Amino acid sequence: MRLFDSITQELKYKVLREVARLAFGDKLEESYYAIPRIIVKDNDDSMRCCIYKDRAIVEEMVRVVVGAPKNPAAILDVMDIACDECPIDKYTVSEGCRGCITHKCVLNCPVGAISIKNKRAVIDQEKCIECGRCYKSCPYTAIREQIRPCVKACKINAIKVNKDRKAIIDHEKCVSCGACMTKCPFGAIQDRSFMVDAIRLIKNSENGQRYNIYAIIAPAIASQFKYAKLGQIVTAIKKLGFNSVVEVALGADAVAYNEAQELAEKGRLLSSCCPAFVSYVEKAFPALVPLISHNVSPMAMTAKMIKKQDPGAKIVFVGPCVAKKYEMTRENIKGLIDSVITFEELQALIDSRDIHAEELEESVIDNASFYGRIFARIGGLSEAVKESLKEAGITDFELKNVIGDGLDQIKIALLKLSKNVLDGNFVEGMACTGGCVNGAGCITHDVKNAMEVDKYGKEAMDRTIKEAIAPYPVD
């Protein structure tokens, strides 16, 4: 069974696994430079021009994983050495060129980059400034527009191309959703890793003697690790050294219940669950920031619940989201989350310890309601807020939700809201199309993932939202 969606994901996993293996064995510092040769062997077929470049790229990946990226302030960044394999000419002339005599492409080019040779248009790529005027003016649509996969994936124009034709991320615009990372065919965009920090927390806990360490798992986990049952994955997490595993769906229940009441009080609200959505509002629509829910995200809410009962606890979030790594550093939740790892990184941790989850007994995990669990797919938050209004006895307020499924739809909804023409009072914003089940840190992005989350949710249908959160009161 193939575990990952792509070869670039598998390469990243191998790097993560080797780093984890060395970190658990206290050999990372002394064996750091051996990893490229472990992963790219002398007799391997090269992925690029030669195995030496393959190794150089792996070495750069290792640097990112151990927490020493070129830009420590960024969650996502481009590895220049890998991006070098993606030199795309944005505009090219196809066979459809008829050699017409109007020469609109020539006349509309502001820099004289187009000429006619042998009755065909030719673009001088050295002069071309990629303005697109030739593309728009050709009567035969014979000029093709080629967009880099990373640029096409970024819906907020945060990726540009520098003078060397390498991708660069505008961190003033970037919301750390990770869409560019998943679409780059060469694996040139990597997310900053806090996996080694998580290993350090596990080891320093001394099997719970110094402090308890909790893994809080996002509900999207139900759609991942398809080679084993969820209960077996929970057991595997405990075998890594975690004292306890708690569902983030529990925090989602609390957030939904609180947001329902906040919505009824204010009349209009933007959800606060997706950190990439919140960041996008802050950067692109600052006038709408007051409408963002004052509730923290389900991740932070779950941590608050745990730390109220166990103040000395250390908490590691495990989920599909790269933006959670950015959220962890935000002032309003600093100190609640001690590390964030993705599902990709969890798989690497499990395999680095030679744990075979599919052979383990199942652990019971039963913290949340149906509604908290379906937060992982688009529309789940709105359903939970509607249920919360009902359970809270709020009958004089009607929910009119607008679902922003991906940044394209989010932009449209926010533009309408900013002009007071949005037909709705609650915006559920999810930066990843389809919801968290398609997060950049997922192992797989299967079309059936949302169905798996619903199936997981239905296992808790006998519990209301109020019943789920009752044992965990927070201020």
Side-chain angles (χ1 to χ4, degrees):
M1 178 179 178
R2 192 173 195 88
L3 193 59
F4 297 101
D5 288 338
S6 68
I7 300 299
T8 54
Q9 247 186 315
E10 289 181 3
L11 176 62
K12 180 181 178 182
Y13 154 76
K14 290 177 182 178
V15 173
L16 289 165
R17 184 191 61 200
E18 292 307 317
V19 168
R21 184 171 290 154
L22 292 171
F24 270 118
D26 292 323
K27 296 179 179 179
L28 183 57
E29 189 172 341
E30 65 186 72
S31 303
Y32 176 97
Y33 291 105
I35 295 175
R37 295 188 70 88
I38 292 172
I39 293 175
V40 183
K41 298 178 174 58
D42 288 339
N43 58 349
D44 284 351
D45 292 330
S46 63
M47 292 175 283
R48 294 171 174 83
C49 61
C50 62
I51 63 170
Y52 304 106
K53 184 163 187 177
D54 291 343
R55 285 173 179 166
I57 290 171
V58 169
E59 184 176 333
E60 186 66 24
M61 293 173 73
V62 172
R63 189 174 293 113
V64 174
V65 172
V66 300
K70 67 177 185 181
N71 186 352
I75 297 302
L76 289 161
D77 221 338
V78 181
M79 297 187 300
D80 290 345
I81 189 172
C83 186
D84 190 49
E85 295 289 341
C86 195
I88 294 177
D89 296 329
K90 188 169 183 180
Y91 295 101
T92 57
V93 181
S94 73
E95 293 299 319
C97 179
R98 304 293 297 166
C100 66
I101 61 174
T102 59
H103 296 173
K104 285 189 176 181
C105 57
V106 176
L107 296 175
N108 281 281
C109 180
V111 293
I114 302 182
S115 59
I116 304 297
K117 296 180 180 179
N118 298 322
K119 295 184 179 182
R120 284 179 54 83
V122 176
I123 299 176
D124 184 339
Q125 298 296 341
E126 294 298 319
K127 292 182 180 180
C128 179
I129 59 171
E130 300 184 351
C131 66
R133 293 183 187 180
C134 60
Y135 167 75
K136 294 173 184 176
S137 64
C138 177
Y140 290 103
T141 61
I143 295 177
R144 293 180 299 199
E145 181 183 33
Q146 299 184 88
I147 304 175
R148 289 179 182 236
C150 58
V151 173
K152 189 174 182 179
C154 182
K155 304 304 181 182
I156 55 176
N157 298 318
I159 298 186
K160 308 295 181 185
V161 180
N162 66 14
K163 60 182 178 61
D164 297 320
R165 297 202 167 189
K166 294 181 181 179
I168 54 173
I169 298 176
D170 182 347
H171 297 293
E172 294 298 314
K173 289 184 178 181
C174 179
V175 296
S176 303
C177 68
C180 57
M181 181 177 75
T182 63
K183 296 299 183 181
C184 176
F186 287 93
I189 301 175
Q190 296 289 304
D191 57 320
R192 185 178 176 189
S193 179
F194 296 93
M195 184 185 71
V196 174
D197 294 337
I199 294 172
R200 191 177 299 115
L201 288 167
I202 292 170
K203 291 171 67 65
N204 289 346
S205 73
E206 297 178 3
N207 295 317
Q209 295 300 308
R210 295 183 61 201
Y211 51 78
N212 291 319
I213 180 165
Y214 294 76
I216 59 173
I217 57 174
I221 197 170
S223 67
Q224 305 293 303
F225 306 99
K226 296 180 181 179
Y227 63 90
K229 297 178 180 178
L230 177 57
Q232 293 175 314
I233 296 298
V234 173
T235 303
I237 294 172
K238 291 179 179 178
K239 281 188 170 292
L240 287 171
F242 289 95
N243 303 110
S244 185
V245 180
V246 178
E247 292 182 273
V248 172
L250 171 64
D253 278 325
V255 169
Y257 196 77
N258 292 343
E259 280 197 351
Q261 296 177 70
E262 186 181 2
L263 172 61
E265 290 172 8
K266 294 181 176 179
R268 293 191 306 175
L269 204 66
L270 302 178
S271 64
S272 60
C273 300
C274 172
F277 170 59
V278 171
S279 180
Y280 181 57
V281 176
E282 291 172 340
K283 292 182 176 185
F285 295 88
L288 299 180
V289 167
L291 293 179
I292 298 173
S293 171
H294 290 161
N295 283 281
V296 294
S297 71
M299 174 184 78
M301 181 64 77
T302 306
K304 286 178 72 173
M305 290 172 158
I306 293 171
K307 290 201 172 183
K308 184 162 186 179
Q309 297 188 358
D310 187 355
K314 301 295 183 183
I315 298 176
V316 177
F317 172 82
V318 183
C321 183
V322 171
K324 287 295 184 187
K325 297 180 179 185
Y326 147 75
E327 184 190 1
M328 177 179 66
T329 67
R330 290 178 66 98
E331 286 297 327
N332 65 325
I333 70 162
K334 267 189 178 178
L336 289 176
I337 303 296
D338 298 284
S339 184
V340 168
I341 62 173
T342 63
F343 292 143
E344 288 179 329
E345 291 167 321
L346 174 60
Q347 185 64 61
L349 288 175
I350 290 171
D351 291 344
S352 75
R353 305 300 285 163
D354 296 319
I355 297 169
H356 300 282
E358 68 277 16
E359 299 174 3
L360 301 176
E361 293 183 359
E362 292 187 65
S363 291
V364 175
I365 184 161
D366 191 26
N367 305 115
S369 79
F370 165 79
Y371 296 97
R373 289 179 171 183
I374 63 171
F375 262 57
R377 51 88 167 157
I378 196 70
L381 168 57
S382 294
E383 290 181 44
V385 169
K386 183 178 181 179
E387 173 65 17
S388 294
L389 287 168
K390 177 182 174 183
E391 291 188 25
I394 301 173
T395 57
D396 58 347
F397 183 86
E398 181 185 1
L399 171 69
K400 294 184 70 175
N401 64 296
V402 175
I403 296 176
D405 185 10
L407 287 169
D408 276 349
Q409 288 190 16
I410 286 171
K411 183 178 181 179
I412 294 171
L414 295 180
L415 281 169
K416 288 182 177 180
L417 182 59
S418 66
K419 297 179 185 299
N420 290 315
V421 294
L422 182 70
D423 184 21
N425 53 29
F426 178 69
V427 178
E428 173 188 335
M430 293 287 183
C432 296
T433 304
C436 304
V437 291
N438 286 318
C442 282
I443 290 174
T444 180
H445 301 81
D446 196 293
V447 293
K448 297 180 181 179
N449 284 355
M451 295 171 56
E452 293 296 326
V453 165
D454 277 346
K455 180 180 176 182
Y456 168 57
K458 288 174 183 176
E459 295 174 4
M461 283 294 286
D462 60 341
R463 184 185 290 114
T464 66
I465 292 175
K466 289 178 71 174
E467 288 171 342
I469 64 178
Y472 307 94
V474 292
D475 296 331

